[in-house]
Structure formats: C-alpha cells, structure tokens
C-alpha cells in the first residue's frame, strides 16, 4: 500500500526500533510500494519516511536509470532490507550532495566509497551484501535515517 511521505522532523529524528518478521507484510511491503510510486524523484526510502520508526529501508537497485523514468515505466528493481547493519565500510570517503524527499533542499554529506551490510530480506533470510558507488551512497543515506540522522 502506497503511504504518504512523512515530512515531520520530530518523527524523522526518532531512532528506529528493531524490525520483526511481522513487519514484512506491513511496513516493509508498504515501503517498497511507496518507493515504487515515487521512483521518478526518489531512489531510496527509510520506514520513518512513511511515519514508521522501524529499521527497514528500501533502495532502487537500478537507481541510475530510475530517477526521471517516465510514468508508467516498468516497476523499479527494489531491494528491501530489514535491520540493516554495517559489517565493513571503506575508509575512503568523499563529499556527496544529497537531497531527501522529506526535506526541502540539498545538503553536503561525507560518505564511504563502499559499505558491506548484513540484513534480513523479505523472506526473513539473513543476507550480506557489498554496495559501491551510488548504491552505497543511497544505503548510507537511508541507514542514517534509521539512526534519526537527517542530512
Ligand atoms: Zn532521506
């Protein structure tokens, strides 16, 4: 179910609680549906962006092609991660300029070149994946949301 985007800073500042298996069919599915609906302007979402302070994020794996895609284009390739946790990250950092659907303007933020994250997938299986480039940046942005950090 597509949900409304939360722009309430007080809710965005709440640190996310651990997600459970029961969140798969509710919050996690809604987050994927909402990201799908906003894929023209948004490449990732954290659950508190739909008003749910739970540790769930969703990212467009085809982010490079996703933004600016035409309405009615096929579904974006979305990865949903429950309880994502950094296992390793690059010591090499750079300054990125990022925007956020929940905030008005773009801001500069320091990001690692790559991150390795463990998480539970939509089947509640344990997974571990390395992200590089734009995807690494999106994952870090969304994981910041879970900490209540906003760029
Ligand atoms: Zn954001």
């Amino acid at each position: 179910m597509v949900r409304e985007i939360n722009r309430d800073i007080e809710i965005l500042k709440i640190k996310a609680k651990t997600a459970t298996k029961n969140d798969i069919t509710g919050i996690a599915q809604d987050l994927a549906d909402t990201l799908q609906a906003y894929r023209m302007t948004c490449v990732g979402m954290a659950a508190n962006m739909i008003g749910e302070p739970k540790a769930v994020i969703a990212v467009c794996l085809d982010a490079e092609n996703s933004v600016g895609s035409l309405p009615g284009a096929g579904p974006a390739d979305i990865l949903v991660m429950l309880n994502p946790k950094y296992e390793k990250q690059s010591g090499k950092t750079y300054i990125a300029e990022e925007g956020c659907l929940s905030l008005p303007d773009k801001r500069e933020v320091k990001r690692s070149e790559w991150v390795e994250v463990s998480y539970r997938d939509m089947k509640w299986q344990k997974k571990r994946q390395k992200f590089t480039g734009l995807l690494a940046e999106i994952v870090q942005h969304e994981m910041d949301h879970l900490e209540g950090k906003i760029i």
Side-chain angles (χ1 to χ4, degrees):
M1 186 175 74
V2 177
R3 305 267 292 261
E4 245 179 78
I5 301 299
N6 167 53
R7 291 185 171 84
D8 183 337
I9 297 290
E10 293 312 311
I11 290 175
L12 292 173
K13 279 183 183 165
I14 300 171
K15 196 175 180 318
K17 290 195 168 65
T18 305
T20 66
K21 208 176 170 183
N22 292 331
D23 293 320
I24 293 173
T25 49
I27 296 170
Q29 187 57 51
D30 285 357
L31 191 64
D33 293 347
T34 308
L35 178 56
Q36 189 70 57
Y38 283 89
R39 60 176 297 214
M40 285 173 69
T41 49
C42 180
V43 285
M45 246 179 223
N48 53 10
M49 288 176 70
I50 57 167
E52 303 278 2
K54 283 282 186 95
V56 187
I57 63 172
V59 298
C60 283
L61 291 176
D62 52 355
E64 312 268 3
N65 314 320
S66 181
V67 165
S69 58
L70 297 168
D77 193 3
I78 290 173
L79 174 67
V80 179
M81 293 184 266
L82 295 97
N83 299 327
K85 184 174 153 262
Y86 291 118
E87 295 295 343
K88 285 182 190 169
Q89 60 196 108
S90 172
K92 277 195 188 166
T93 56
Y94 64 97
I95 302 295
E97 194 183 65
E98 295 178 3
C100 178
L101 207 56
S102 286
L103 301 167
D105 37 46
K106 292 201 168 191
R107 300 153 201 233
E108 287 193 339
V109 60
K110 198 163 127 182
R111 296 296 182 207
S112 293
E113 281 186 357
W114 57 262
V115 292
E116 202 171 310
V117 175
S118 61
Y119 62 94
R120 295 273 186 173
D121 69 6
M122 289 292 270
K123 293 183 177 123
W124 204 245
Q125 301 293 307
K126 276 189 180 166
K127 292 280 170 67
R128 185 171 168 147
Q129 197 170 328
K130 185 175 175 177
F131 300 93
T132 57
L134 181 59
L135 271 177
E137 192 179 318
I138 300 166
V139 167
Q140 290 170 84
H141 178 108
E142 305 314 331
M143 284 178 74
D144 276 357
H145 273 298
L146 300 183
E147 293 296 320
K149 267 193 248 170
I150 32 188
I151 54 167

